[in-house]
Structures are given as C-alpha cells and as structure tokens.
Amino acid sequence: MGFRRWVQTFCLTIFLGLLFIASGDLILSPAADFFLRLDPSIALITTISSRHFLGGLIPAVVIILLTIFLGRFFCGHICPLGTTLDVADKVFAVPYKKRKNVGYLRSLKYLVLIALTGASLFGVSYIFLVSPLSLITRFYGLMILPAVNYLTGGAHQILFPLWEQLDINALLFFQIKSLRYQTQFFVLLFFTGLFSLSRITPRFWCRYLCPAGALFALFSRKPLVHRVVSDKCNECGKCVRACSMGAIDEADFLQTCFEDCVVCLTCEKICPESAITFSREPAPVQNGIISTLPTRRQFIVAGVAGTSTAMVSLTGLNSSVGKAGQGQVVPPMLIRPPATLPELDFLARCVRCGECMVACPTNTLQPIWFDAGLMGLFSPAITPRRGFCNPDCHRCAEVCPTESIRVISKEERVWAKTGTAMIHRQKCLAWEHDKKCMVCDEVCPFGAIEFTQESGLSVTVPKVKEEKCSGCGYCEYHCPVQNQSAIVVTPMNALRLTHGSFKVTAEQAGLKISRKEKSPPTYPGSEKSDSPAPGFDSNFAPGFDAGEDEKSSSAPGFSK
Amino acid sequence: MDRRDFLKTQAKGALLLSMGASGLFLPEPGIAATEPDIAKVKGAPAAATRAAVELLGGIQKFVKPGDRVVIKPNMSFNRSPEQASNTHPEVVRELAVMCKEAQAAKVFILDHTLASPKMCLLRSGIEEACKSVDPNMVYTINESNLYQDVPIPRAVNLNQTQLIKEVLKADVLIAAPVAKSHSATGVSLSMKGMMGLIWDRWIMHRQGLDETIVDLCTVLKADLTVIDGSRVLSTNGPHGPGKVLRENTIIASRDMVAADACAVESFTWYGRKYKAKQVGHIREAHRRKFGRMDIDNLTIKTVTI
C-alpha cells in the first residue's frame, strides 16, 4: 500500500471515527463536523446564501489556498467520498478500453457550481443536493451506521444464550442504540447511481459533477507542484490508462489537465521509464494549459437555471419568505431542533449533512421529505413519537458545521422553546375514556401539565400550561395512546432567534419554563391538613378515591 | 427456585385459587411469629434500611448464597435525591451491600427509565453510590431486545407482558421504591414500581391501571419490599418537583401490599391523611388476596435508631 492509500485510509478512518463518536452519547467530539468544514462548496454557497461568513468554515479556505500550490490533493487524499468511490471503482470499474468517452461532460461540474451560486445569490441553498461531504456524511451516518447497529443488535440477540453462559454483566446488558431514519432511500438510490457510474468511467462524480471539485479545479489550473514528464517517456500510454481522473491528454501523454489531476501520483509510480515526476519544474513541452472551463453561453445558461430554480423555490406555497405571520403556509407539525435559526435563514445555512441526526441521542431528529417544500428537503425535524428532545442535550447544535442551530449556554438551552404540546381530548384516556393515566404529567420535565378534576369524570385529567411547555415532546413520546398520540407537540410559539437571549425573550413573552417550579396543586385539602374528607370524588388528592369499589347495581332508569 | 419455576408454580396456584374462589383464606401473616409483618424504622437512610431488614429476620432470610438478586429502585427521572422522585442512593447501596454480604452471586439494580438513561443514572446518584459495591451492577434497560414475552397466568386483564430477561433468571426480587404521590394512581410504591421492569407499560394505562398493576405483580412479586420514606414526594408525583417531606422512615415487609398500605397511611399526601383502601390498586390487590392492606390487623414493629 502506497503513501497515498495510507493517507486515504487514515482520513477515512478519522472521518468515520468522528462520526461514530458523534453517534454515541458518551462524549462529545468537538470536531465531529471537521470534514464538513473542509468542503469549499459548502463554504462558498453557504456564505453567499446566508450573507454571513462563518469562522467555522475557514478550514475550507485553507484547503483552497493549499490547492493553489498542490493541486486537487484534497480529492485524491482526504475526501471521504473520493476514497469511497475509489473502493467502488475497484469493484465496479470496467477496463480502460471498454470505457465510454464522456469527456464532453468535463465542464459539467462548473455548471453545477454556477447554478448553485446563482441560486445562492437569492439566498437559496441547494448545496445539500451535491456537496460531497454532506452526501458522504449522510451515506455513512444515516444509512450505514443504522444498518451496522441493526446487525450488531441482531448478532447480540442471536448470541444471547452464549452471553448467559459466560455470565458477564457487560455482555448481558449490552444495549446498542436502534437507529431509524427517514429519507435514507434517497441516499441509497443516490449512491447506487454514483457507484454505477463507475461502469462509465472511474471517479465519474469527481470528474464531472462535484462542485467542490470544480472549485478546487479553478484554483489548480497551474499548481506549483505538478506532473512533469521527462524526455525518457516512450509513449507507452500506461499512465493514461491508469489515471482515474482521465487527466492525461490521450493524444499527448506529456500534457496534463491540472484541473482534473488529483495528485494521486499513480502515474509517477507506474511509469516503467520513471519518466514522470511531480515537481515545481516547468513541463518540457508546454502548449498552454488544457482548460475544461465552460463556454460563456454555458455559463449563462447554468446561472439562469440556478436563479430560476431559486425563484420557483421562493415563490412556492411553503416557502417562508417574507415576514412571519399572516399568509405563511407552514407545515403544521414541523418542529425544528432547539435554537434553530428563523426558517429562511436556517434553510439558507443548513447543508443537510445529517450530523445533528447522527448526534441526536434519542433519534428524534429526522430528515424530512417535502413537508417544507424542495427548499426544506432533508432538513432536520423533531419527531416526538420517535424520541423526546432532552432539555439537557444540545448535541445537534454542537455538531452543526454551519451554526444553523445556535450554540447556546446550558441555562439558555432550557428556554429555547421548540413548540407547545396540545391535547387531543377525544383521544385522551382520561378525558375521553375516564381512565387513570396522567403519563404526560408523569414524564413532563417542566411541570407543564396541570391536572384537574372535571365534572362527570372520576379521574384527574391533564391540561397543558402553555407558558411552561418547552415543546420537548416527552409527553408525546410517552403517551400510551397508540399511533397518533393524544398529546402532540405543535410548533406554536417556538422561539427562533437570530441573536439575543432566549431566556430574556421568553421571559418577556411571559414564558415560565423551569424544572424547579410546579404550580401548587389545586386540590381541596392541600391547604387544610388532616381535615376529614368533606365529600366524595372531587375532594381527594389525585389518584385517591373514597375507598370503595364502585358498584353500579342499578339498571339504567332504576334507582338504587 | 428461579423465576421461571416461580411462574409455573404461579400457574398452578391460579388453578387452585380459581377452585377455591370463595377465597376464605387471606395470605398468612409472617412465617415466624417473632418477626413482624411490617418493619418501620426511623433513622438515616442506610442504617434504617439495614435495621428494617434485620427486623424481618435479616437479609439471609431472603438471599441465599449463590442467588441472583434484582433490586428495583425508582431511578426513572432526571432528578436529584433531595427531590424524592428516585430512591435514595444510600438505600439502594445498602441493600446491594447486604445482598453481597449474604453471598449473592449477582446483584443487579435495574430500571426501565422514562427520562434519558444517562441523565437518570447521573442525577439519581444511584450509579455513583453503587460503584464501590460493584461497578457493573446498575443498568437502565431501554432496548426491547433485553425483554422477553411472558404470560401472566393469574391475570384478570393483562394476559402477557415483557420482562427484563435478567429478572426472569433472578432468584430474589427486591422492590426498593421511594414513597411518592402519583397523579393517576394516588401513590407510586412497590407495586406500581414493578412497571419499571417491563417493556410496554403503556398498555396498562389503556386497559386500566389498578387491575393491571396487580396482574403484573402476580409475576413480579417481590420477595422483599423496602420502601424508602427517607424523603416523601407528597405532592406532584411521580415526577415532581413537589412538596418533599423529610420523614426519615424506611418501611420493609415481605408483603408488597402491606408495605405499600403502611406507606400510604404513614405519610400525608397533598396535606392529608389517607387510608390504604383509598388507593385503587392497593384495594384491588387486597381484594384479590395478593397481599394485605388491613395493616391494623398486622404486626408492625416501629423502631427509631
């Protein structure tokens, strides 16, 4: 295994390791999003669409600067998608002679980048559809990891009799988080397609489609260190056939298309004459740079395509453009993670990498389909039936590469209201069926469920104190009513602040979110101690009764 | 006898019971006349726990050398010990220590938590407290593959459930609940607490808590019940925060119903005294002769240390 393979293996291992650490809830990895911050396409498009330069994206700038000297080294060495595609190419790629000539697609990646930039000028970010780091994070995080977990859990289950024999506590109580995600079929189909493209040429994605590759290519047109062919070359063509990027001119082996060269050094290694080196020397034969830049006409068409897509998106019914309030058609049950930016800003920033969903300990964060229109595709939403949103946890914010979810202090976190619970009384066991339940009250961390007694009902019934509810979804998650919970979190009064304190804003709005206080019980008797129960039903503390089994002996219409 | 055999015996017992359904006999009070039915000790949590078990004849009466023991505390909430939503860590620890002293082969402290398992282990203080006894004894069981389907032969309502596999294997089950109020069932004590050893507890809410709690206890009958009344969550339970009474009391019994009944009548709930029969599931358990709530007819030994 050569140097490059080692580097690739190392980088992919780090990438997967960070993802794996992010998925566990033991320690937080502050660098979970590190690789995403290396992607210059994310940095460029997000900066333009959000009108905001994020310090966290400086690593991408550093990579770009290095590219000026070293060429597209990132693609050949660091990019986890590139490495994954190299593996896929090993399996699927066809011999050189059988490859189709699709060289005319070379400028396509620039057009992709131009279209994205065009859309981002209007504040619309579609980078999530094509960012290599976003895609590969979803591939491993939302598709491979859950599958691995599932298989590990299954294996543990099958081997359970063995663990019982061994009687080792850690094995007996080994629990692996079962993960489920929506929209992974997109990831599956996308990557099936991507791997299939190996049948056309290796690294099809990197050659023709990748917008980050396009950005690197722009800066690597004349890299300082580059491929140099000496006059020892006997034109055997071995390098041309071995080049996974097709960066060597098929007519003139001395010529290199530096825009496409990923500095993998394969040609240097395999040249039987040792005629190829990567150095700062100028190439002996120089007929000018081979350029794959698009034509002016193509440029304009791509730009217009991007801007018109933005226009269509912004004028879609579900677009949240303009001021919040009347006329906004917002998905009725879309709950964003705590401290998510206001919707339009959020969508301009979120790159749908899925890091937040990987890091979410309760699996409540799910990518959505088209609930919020095309612009909201794959964006994260709290899904309380799947899991509650722990008020002590804000891992989603900590791993977000673009600060789409604000990083706030622990104290602030509690005030970052995500919505308000609402009781469907007709589904509620207590309200509709007069059954003892009160699970919503039992699990609410904020004492936001008030229990009262209503005439005609023998049991206590729940009511939501709106100003105390943080929208965490404990109630909806735990509600014993099947399928559709009898208590649901709606986005009502969610706090979405660009800046400023959640606590101050919430308190000004009259919210009283606290884990220390709970309204004093409204039960007769709570104020007078030891007084005998003055009556039946309504005068007992919640859950207590007169102490007799109810016996309705009389038939309807008859008196006792 | 492991719990599997126990279940079989229970099935036979159910037959017997249905034959003599007139049910003239209530469960016999304490085995040896010298030992009270209920021990009630006032004192510091750990010392009172030990004393209460001693009054019942000592832990050796319950745990034999080589036994597997499961202790079921309340540690389902992200609350600190002083908030009284979870069992006091020292009570749990002392029980674990005593089981170890009785040469139990394995002692586990298990609960299926409602809040985040990590936060429950951390905030309840139970994991930390038990670390010195055995760093691998406290577990929250929140994945369904560690549960096993089990029929409930004596059920009137809940015919089957899913128990934590380890509970099925256990020779001894110790209920160690904190004394607290409950907005649906009045109180949450040893019987109600058994809902933390099963996977799907929500079905019980749909089918009726009082009957199903007793159904469940027929397969999860604790050999020893130790109720932690060192602090009592008198209002806003089971989660709180609510009014916490400093009662410094530990109540122990072989009879879950008697222990629960004693706890109900020993403390005030929402500022008032209640009789055990005013709690639906305790009344139901007594009616079905699962245990006795008529504590006035039982021997209670009260000690202050």
Side-chain angles (χ1 to χ4, degrees), chain A residues 225-230 232 256 258 265 267-269 271 274-282 284:
Chain A
V225 178
H226 56 263
R227 177 173 176 267
V228 181
V229 186
S230 75
K232 282 193 277 182
T256 315
F258 296 120
L265 311 182
C267 51
E268 183 185 64
K269 207 167 75 183
C271 178
S274 303
I276 302 171
T277 51
F278 277 75
S279 69
R280 293 174 55 185
E281 290 165 38

PDB file of all heavy atoms in Angstrom, chain A residues 225-230 232 256 258 265 267-269 271 274-282 284:
ATOM      1  N   VAL A 225       3.257  22.594  -7.644  1.00  0.00           N
ATOM      2  CA  VAL A 225       3.792  21.239  -7.785  1.00  0.00           C
ATOM      3  C   VAL A 225       2.860  20.503  -8.734  1.00  0.00           C
ATOM      4  O   VAL A 225       1.657  20.464  -8.509  1.00  0.00           O
ATOM      5  CB  VAL A 225       3.841  20.524  -6.421  1.00  0.00           C
ATOM      6  CG1 VAL A 225       4.342  19.097  -6.592  1.00  0.00           C
ATOM      7  CG2 VAL A 225       4.711  21.298  -5.460  1.00  0.00           C
ATOM      8  N   HIS A 226       3.434  19.965  -9.799  1.00  0.00           N
ATOM      9  CA  HIS A 226       2.553  19.348 -10.791  1.00  0.00           C
ATOM     10  C   HIS A 226       3.279  18.237 -11.527  1.00  0.00           C
ATOM     11  O   HIS A 226       4.480  18.027 -11.369  1.00  0.00           O
ATOM     12  CB  HIS A 226       2.066  20.403 -11.779  1.00  0.00           C
ATOM     13  CG  HIS A 226       3.192  21.123 -12.446  1.00  0.00           C
ATOM     14  ND1 HIS A 226       3.657  22.342 -12.013  1.00  0.00           N
ATOM     15  CD2 HIS A 226       3.991  20.768 -13.478  1.00  0.00           C
ATOM     16  CE1 HIS A 226       4.678  22.704 -12.761  1.00  0.00           C
ATOM     17  NE2 HIS A 226       4.914  21.768 -13.655  1.00  0.00           N
ATOM     18  N   ARG A 227       2.543  17.557 -12.387  1.00  0.00           N
ATOM     19  CA  ARG A 227       3.094  16.427 -13.138  1.00  0.00           C
ATOM     20  C   ARG A 227       4.037  16.925 -14.216  1.00  0.00           C
ATOM     21  O   ARG A 227       3.695  17.794 -15.013  1.00  0.00           O
ATOM     22  CB  ARG A 227       1.945  15.635 -13.761  1.00  0.00           C
ATOM     23  CG  ARG A 227       2.365  14.452 -14.632  1.00  0.00           C
ATOM     24  CD  ARG A 227       1.128  13.654 -15.031  1.00  0.00           C
ATOM     25  NE  ARG A 227       1.470  12.563 -15.935  1.00  0.00           N
ATOM     26  CZ  ARG A 227       1.433  12.662 -17.272  1.00  0.00           C
ATOM     27  NH1 ARG A 227       1.078  13.800 -17.838  1.00  0.00           N
ATOM     28  NH2 ARG A 227       1.745  11.625 -18.019  1.00  0.00           N
ATOM     29  N   VAL A 228       5.236  16.363 -14.205  1.00  0.00           N
ATOM     30  CA  VAL A 228       6.233  16.717 -15.212  1.00  0.00           C
ATOM     31  C   VAL A 228       6.700  15.432 -15.880  1.00  0.00           C
ATOM     32  O   VAL A 228       7.022  14.462 -15.208  1.00  0.00           O
ATOM     33  CB  VAL A 228       7.458  17.424 -14.570  1.00  0.00           C
ATOM     34  CG1 VAL A 228       8.477  17.811 -15.639  1.00  0.00           C
ATOM     35  CG2 VAL A 228       7.011  18.631 -13.772  1.00  0.00           C
ATOM     36  N   VAL A 229       6.683  15.423 -17.229  1.00  0.00           N
ATOM     37  CA  VAL A 229       7.111  14.224 -17.958  1.00  0.00           C
ATOM     38  C   VAL A 229       8.452  14.536 -18.642  1.00  0.00           C
ATOM     39  O   VAL A 229       8.565  15.515 -19.391  1.00  0.00           O
ATOM     40  CB  VAL A 229       6.069  13.819 -19.018  1.00  0.00           C
ATOM     41  CG1 VAL A 229       6.452  12.483 -19.655  1.00  0.00           C
ATOM     42  CG2 VAL A 229       4.690  13.738 -18.391  1.00  0.00           C
ATOM     43  N   SER A 230       9.452  13.715 -18.371  1.00  0.00           N
ATOM     44  CA  SER A 230      10.766  13.969 -18.960  1.00  0.00           C
ATOM     45  C   SER A 230      10.841  13.338 -20.348  1.00  0.00           C
ATOM     46  O   SER A 230       9.928  12.616 -20.766  1.00  0.00           O
ATOM     47  CB  SER A 230      11.869  13.393 -18.070  1.00  0.00           C
ATOM     48  OG  SER A 230      11.898  11.987 -18.213  1.00  0.00           O
ATOM     49  N   LYS A 232      12.375  10.920 -21.219  1.00  0.00           N
ATOM     50  CA  LYS A 232      12.525   9.462 -21.172  1.00  0.00           C
ATOM     51  C   LYS A 232      11.232   8.762 -21.615  1.00  0.00           C
ATOM     52  O   LYS A 232      11.221   7.563 -21.855  1.00  0.00           O
ATOM     53  CB  LYS A 232      12.869   9.020 -19.748  1.00  0.00           C
ATOM     54  CG  LYS A 232      14.335   9.262 -19.384  1.00  0.00           C
ATOM     55  CD  LYS A 232      14.715   8.537 -18.112  1.00  0.00           C
ATOM     56  CE  LYS A 232      14.306   9.365 -16.901  1.00  0.00           C
ATOM     57  NZ  LYS A 232      14.698   8.738 -15.636  1.00  0.00           N
ATOM     58  N   THR A 256      -0.988  17.435 -19.258  1.00  0.00           N
ATOM     59  CA  THR A 256      -1.855  17.110 -18.127  1.00  0.00           C
ATOM     60  C   THR A 256      -2.924  18.187 -17.999  1.00  0.00           C
ATOM     61  O   THR A 256      -2.621  19.375 -18.115  1.00  0.00           O
ATOM     62  CB  THR A 256      -1.058  17.077 -16.812  1.00  0.00           C
ATOM     63  OG1 THR A 256       0.153  16.363 -17.024  1.00  0.00           O
ATOM     64  CG2 THR A 256      -1.859  16.434 -15.700  1.00  0.00           C
ATOM     65  N   PHE A 258      -4.524  19.912 -15.436  1.00  0.00           N
ATOM     66  CA  PHE A 258      -4.339  20.091 -13.986  1.00  0.00           C
ATOM     67  C   PHE A 258      -5.645  20.322 -13.244  1.00  0.00           C
ATOM     68  O   PHE A 258      -5.753  20.077 -12.054  1.00  0.00           O
ATOM     69  CB  PHE A 258      -3.343  21.223 -13.713  1.00  0.00           C
ATOM     70  CG  PHE A 258      -1.968  20.890 -14.227  1.00  0.00           C
ATOM     71  CD1 PHE A 258      -1.347  21.695 -15.184  1.00  0.00           C
ATOM     72  CD2 PHE A 258      -1.307  19.757 -13.787  1.00  0.00           C
ATOM     73  CE1 PHE A 258      -0.099  21.373 -15.674  1.00  0.00           C
ATOM     74  CE2 PHE A 258      -0.047  19.430 -14.274  1.00  0.00           C
ATOM     75  CZ  PHE A 258       0.558  20.234 -15.223  1.00  0.00           C
ATOM     76  N   LEU A 265      -0.518  10.598  -7.813  1.00  0.00           N
ATOM     77  CA  LEU A 265       0.857  10.126  -8.068  1.00  0.00           C
ATOM     78  C   LEU A 265       0.899   8.702  -8.630  1.00  0.00           C
ATOM     79  O   LEU A 265       1.965   8.081  -8.657  1.00  0.00           O
ATOM     80  CB  LEU A 265       1.719  10.195  -6.800  1.00  0.00           C
ATOM     81  CG  LEU A 265       1.702  11.510  -6.012  1.00  0.00           C
ATOM     82  CD1 LEU A 265       2.643  11.426  -4.820  1.00  0.00           C
ATOM     83  CD2 LEU A 265       2.067  12.696  -6.875  1.00  0.00           C
ATOM     84  N   CYS A 267       0.538   7.804 -11.727  1.00  0.00           N
ATOM     85  CA  CYS A 267       1.314   7.784 -12.965  1.00  0.00           C
ATOM     86  C   CYS A 267       2.815   7.747 -12.670  1.00  0.00           C
ATOM     87  O   CYS A 267       3.574   7.011 -13.300  1.00  0.00           O
ATOM     88  CB  CYS A 267       0.942   8.972 -13.850  1.00  0.00           C
ATOM     89  SG  CYS A 267       0.997  10.573 -13.028  1.00  0.00           S
ATOM     90  N   GLU A 268       3.203   8.524 -11.659  1.00  0.00           N
ATOM     91  CA  GLU A 268       4.623   8.539 -11.287  1.00  0.00           C
ATOM     92  C   GLU A 268       5.075   7.135 -10.864  1.00  0.00           C
ATOM     93  O   GLU A 268       6.155   6.674 -11.213  1.00  0.00           O
ATOM     94  CB  GLU A 268       4.830   9.515 -10.129  1.00  0.00           C
ATOM     95  CG  GLU A 268       6.269   9.680  -9.688  1.00  0.00           C
ATOM     96  CD  GLU A 268       6.393  10.570  -8.453  1.00  0.00           C
ATOM     97  OE1 GLU A 268       5.885  10.180  -7.379  1.00  0.00           O
ATOM     98  OE2 GLU A 268       6.964  11.661  -8.586  1.00  0.00           O
ATOM     99  N   LYS A 269       4.204   6.489 -10.127  1.00  0.00           N
ATOM    100  CA  LYS A 269       4.552   5.193  -9.566  1.00  0.00           C
ATOM    101  C   LYS A 269       4.624   4.102 -10.633  1.00  0.00           C
ATOM    102  O   LYS A 269       5.491   3.225 -10.589  1.00  0.00           O
ATOM    103  CB  LYS A 269       3.497   4.812  -8.510  1.00  0.00           C
ATOM    104  CG  LYS A 269       4.010   3.887  -7.438  1.00  0.00           C
ATOM    105  CD  LYS A 269       3.043   3.815  -6.270  1.00  0.00           C
ATOM    106  CE  LYS A 269       1.832   2.974  -6.601  1.00  0.00           C
ATOM    107  NZ  LYS A 269       0.850   2.942  -5.519  1.00  0.00           N
ATOM    108  N   CYS A 271       5.006   4.415 -14.014  1.00  0.00           N
ATOM    109  CA  CYS A 271       5.737   4.666 -15.261  1.00  0.00           C
ATOM    110  C   CYS A 271       6.962   3.737 -15.338  1.00  0.00           C
ATOM    111  O   CYS A 271       7.857   3.794 -14.489  1.00  0.00           O
ATOM    112  CB  CYS A 271       6.183   6.117 -15.347  1.00  0.00           C
ATOM    113  SG  CYS A 271       7.137   6.448 -16.843  1.00  0.00           S
ATOM    114  N   SER A 274      10.244   5.600 -15.461  1.00  0.00           N
ATOM    115  CA  SER A 274      10.421   6.626 -14.428  1.00  0.00           C
ATOM    116  C   SER A 274      10.538   8.016 -15.040  1.00  0.00           C
ATOM    117  O   SER A 274      11.377   8.823 -14.656  1.00  0.00           O
ATOM    118  CB  SER A 274      11.664   6.335 -13.582  1.00  0.00           C
ATOM    119  OG  SER A 274      11.566   5.072 -13.004  1.00  0.00           O
ATOM    120  N   ALA A 275       9.703   8.229 -16.024  1.00  0.00           N
ATOM    121  CA  ALA A 275       9.769   9.499 -16.744  1.00  0.00           C
ATOM    122  C   ALA A 275       8.903  10.576 -16.092  1.00  0.00           C
ATOM    123  O   ALA A 275       8.968  11.746 -16.444  1.00  0.00           O
ATOM    124  CB  ALA A 275       9.330   9.292 -18.190  1.00  0.00           C
ATOM    125  N   ILE A 276       8.061  10.148 -15.130  1.00  0.00           N
ATOM    126  CA  ILE A 276       7.101  11.105 -14.562  1.00  0.00           C
ATOM    127  C   ILE A 276       7.492  11.479 -13.137  1.00  0.00           C
ATOM    128  O   ILE A 276       7.808  10.603 -12.320  1.00  0.00           O
ATOM    129  CB  ILE A 276       5.675  10.511 -14.565  1.00  0.00           C
ATOM    130  CG1 ILE A 276       5.284  10.140 -15.998  1.00  0.00           C
ATOM    131  CG2 ILE A 276       4.675  11.478 -13.958  1.00  0.00           C
ATOM    132  CD1 ILE A 276       4.008   9.353 -16.111  1.00  0.00           C
ATOM    133  N   THR A 277       7.521  12.769 -12.862  1.00  0.00           N
ATOM    134  CA  THR A 277       7.753  13.227 -11.500  1.00  0.00           C
ATOM    135  C   THR A 277       6.740  14.330 -11.203  1.00  0.00           C
ATOM    136  O   THR A 277       6.177  14.944 -12.116  1.00  0.00           O
ATOM    137  CB  THR A 277       9.162  13.818 -11.323  1.00  0.00           C
ATOM    138  OG1 THR A 277       9.362  14.790 -12.346  1.00  0.00           O
ATOM    139  CG2 THR A 277      10.230  12.753 -11.359  1.00  0.00           C
ATOM    140  N   PHE A 278       6.513  14.525  -9.906  1.00  0.00           N
ATOM    141  CA  PHE A 278       5.716  15.684  -9.507  1.00  0.00           C
ATOM    142  C   PHE A 278       6.671  16.678  -8.869  1.00  0.00           C
ATOM    143  O   PHE A 278       7.292  16.394  -7.856  1.00  0.00           O
ATOM    144  CB  PHE A 278       4.602  15.271  -8.547  1.00  0.00           C
ATOM    145  CG  PHE A 278       3.397  14.755  -9.264  1.00  0.00           C
ATOM    146  CD1 PHE A 278       3.389  13.498  -9.842  1.00  0.00           C
ATOM    147  CD2 PHE A 278       2.274  15.566  -9.411  1.00  0.00           C
ATOM    148  CE1 PHE A 278       2.283  13.033 -10.529  1.00  0.00           C
ATOM    149  CE2 PHE A 278       1.159  15.108 -10.102  1.00  0.00           C
ATOM    150  CZ  PHE A 278       1.163  13.841 -10.658  1.00  0.00           C
ATOM    151  N   SER A 279       6.834  17.810  -9.534  1.00  0.00           N
ATOM    152  CA  SER A 279       7.819  18.758  -9.031  1.00  0.00           C
ATOM    153  C   SER A 279       7.442  20.174  -9.460  1.00  0.00           C
ATOM    154  O   SER A 279       6.409  20.388 -10.107  1.00  0.00           O
ATOM    155  CB  SER A 279       9.206  18.408  -9.575  1.00  0.00           C
ATOM    156  OG  SER A 279       9.222  18.676 -10.965  1.00  0.00           O
ATOM    157  N   ARG A 280       8.276  21.108  -9.089  1.00  0.00           N
ATOM    158  CA  ARG A 280       7.991  22.505  -9.416  1.00  0.00           C
ATOM    159  C   ARG A 280       8.535  22.890 -10.786  1.00  0.00           C
ATOM    160  O   ARG A 280       8.289  23.984 -11.265  1.00  0.00           O
ATOM    161  CB  ARG A 280       8.617  23.390  -8.340  1.00  0.00           C
ATOM    162  CG  ARG A 280       7.951  23.221  -7.000  1.00  0.00           C
ATOM    163  CD  ARG A 280       8.668  23.998  -5.922  1.00  0.00           C
ATOM    164  NE  ARG A 280       8.779  25.419  -6.293  1.00  0.00           N
ATOM    165  CZ  ARG A 280       9.441  26.313  -5.577  1.00  0.00           C
ATOM    166  NH1 ARG A 280      10.047  25.953  -4.467  1.00  0.00           N
ATOM    167  NH2 ARG A 280       9.496  27.566  -5.958  1.00  0.00           N
ATOM    168  N   GLU A 281       9.329  21.964 -11.403  1.00  0.00           N
ATOM    169  CA  GLU A 281       9.917  22.301 -12.702  1.00  0.00           C
ATOM    170  C   GLU A 281       8.828  22.512 -13.734  1.00  0.00           C
ATOM    171  O   GLU A 281       7.825  21.816 -13.726  1.00  0.00           O
ATOM    172  CB  GLU A 281      10.802  21.139 -13.184  1.00  0.00           C
ATOM    173  CG  GLU A 281      12.065  20.968 -12.401  1.00  0.00           C
ATOM    174  CD  GLU A 281      12.691  19.610 -12.670  1.00  0.00           C
ATOM    175  OE1 GLU A 281      12.638  19.160 -13.834  1.00  0.00           O
ATOM    176  OE2 GLU A 281      13.204  19.004 -11.713  1.00  0.00           O
ATOM    177  N   PRO A 282       9.057  23.434 -14.653  1.00  0.00           N
ATOM    178  CA  PRO A 282       8.086  23.583 -15.734  1.00  0.00           C
ATOM    179  C   PRO A 282       8.133  22.360 -16.646  1.00  0.00           C
ATOM    180  O   PRO A 282       9.177  21.729 -16.795  1.00  0.00           O
ATOM    181  CB  PRO A 282       8.550  24.844 -16.459  1.00  0.00           C
ATOM    182  CG  PRO A 282       9.969  25.040 -16.068  1.00  0.00           C
ATOM    183  CD  PRO A 282      10.180  24.373 -14.746  1.00  0.00           C
ATOM    184  N   PRO A 284       8.506  20.175 -19.865  1.00  0.00           N
ATOM    185  CA  PRO A 284       9.353  20.422 -21.030  1.00  0.00           C
ATOM    186  C   PRO A 284       8.559  20.826 -22.280  1.00  0.00           C
ATOM    187  O   PRO A 284       8.988  21.679 -23.035  1.00  0.00           O
ATOM    188  CB  PRO A 284      10.074  19.091 -21.236  1.00  0.00           C
ATOM    189  CG  PRO A 284       9.262  18.081 -20.512  1.00  0.00           C
ATOM    190  CD  PRO A 284       8.597  18.793 -19.399  1.00  0.00           C
TER     191      PRO A 284
END
